Amino acid sequence: MEGIKVKNIGTLVISYNLENPRGISYEMLGPSKPTLQVSRRNNADIINFTPKKAGLYKLLVKYNNKLLRNSPFELTAIDLSHFNYLNLQDSLNSIIPEQGRSDNSGNG
């Protein structure tokens, strides 16, 4: 396995360097049983998952029914329905000095 990265919410990209990736299998454990959809592309699998509850999930990656090194990979699903974006912006404004903020006006 070359790496794992979160592409966006609910999508993972698993890259590998294998001649025969048919032996790769995935299982996700956590507070709910998420739906997993795997699309195989050139030396990478794209995994779309839909957790039904927030919490810690573990993605088990196996090759020929053996866990790979560093597997399981931990992911945290967060319920953003109660997230307060205004408080986040206020917090960022208080910790980022005025001169450290990017100028979107096109003047600087």
Side-chain angles (χ1 to χ4, degrees):
M1 290 303 244
E2 291 181 356
I4 181 171
K5 70 176 181 176
V6 176
K7 188 174 180 184
N8 57 37
I9 296 173
T11 302
L12 301 170
V13 177
I14 310 285
S15 59
Y16 45 79
N17 187 11
L18 298 169
E19 285 185 29
N20 183 8
R22 287 189 210 145
I24 297 175
S25 63
Y26 304 99
E27 180 181 5
M28 191 172 281
L29 305 174
S32 70
K33 184 77 173 168
T35 303
L36 292 180
Q37 295 178 329
V38 180
S39 302
R40 189 147 284 159
R41 304 256 166 82
N42 297 331
N43 293 326
D45 286 348
I46 299 169
I47 302 172
N48 291 305
F49 66 97
T50 308
K52 294 168 182 59
K53 294 182 181 177
L56 180 66
Y57 288 83
K58 295 182 180 187
L59 177 66
L60 287 74
V61 182
K62 296 179 182 180
Y63 185 67
N64 293 333
N65 292 319
K66 294 181 185 173
L67 273 178
L68 293 182
R69 185 173 40 114
N70 298 326
S71 180
F73 299 96
E74 293 186 351
L75 304 148
T76 302
I78 301 170
D79 179 2
L80 294 177
S81 63
H82 303 292
F83 189 76
N84 188 327
Y85 293 98
L86 294 176
N87 281 348
L88 175 63
Q89 186 62 46
D90 290 343
S91 297
L92 290 174
N93 288 339
S94 69
I95 60 173
I96 300 173
E98 188 71 35
Q99 58 271 48
R101 296 186 195 148
S102 61
D103 182 4
N104 293 328
S105 66
N107 296 328

